[in-house]
Amino acid sequence: MAQLGGGFWRVGHGREIELGSTAVIMAIVNVTPDSFSDGGRYDSVDKAVAHALDAVQAGAGIVDIGGDPRGRTPRASMRARSRRGCCL
């Protein structure tokens, strides 16, 4: 993702979207070891924090920390989800 001038945002595959004056970009950092979207690339505190800071640097105004995998595995316990996201 890259921010462009004039209220446009490049979102991938050559596409751009125009942002209104009140638009806020939200980044999602998945901290699960089996994340469907990133394959668990950010499953350590250091990697997740670096990725979140990169997203903020790129223009994200909100960072959502995802600690509960969906799909292939059973739902994680509340304790496990809390442990994954609490240090970030």
Side-chain angles (χ1 to χ4, degrees):
M1 268 190 287
Q3 190 171 5
L4 304 173
F8 286 86
W9 192 265
R10 184 174 299 134
V11 294
H13 303 288
R15 296 177 298 170
E16 299 171 1
I17 57 173
E18 184 174 5
L19 304 177
S21 62
T22 60
V24 178
I25 299 296
M26 180 174 78
I28 299 173
V29 178
N30 291 309
V31 295
T32 59
D34 58 348
S35 171
F36 70 91
S37 65
D38 60 34
R41 288 188 303 188
Y42 310 112
D43 64 346
S44 75
V45 172
D46 290 340
K47 291 177 185 177
V49 168
H51 184 57
L53 292 174
D54 286 346
V56 170
Q57 178 86 23
I62 300 169
V63 177
D64 178 331
I65 307 299
D68 188 16
R70 296 282 187 221
R72 299 185 307 260
T73 59
R75 185 176 178 118
S77 70
M78 179 59 85
R79 176 170 280 170
R81 288 179 280 160
S82 296
R83 227 182 1 254
R84 291 174 183 157
C86 74
C87 299
L88 305 177

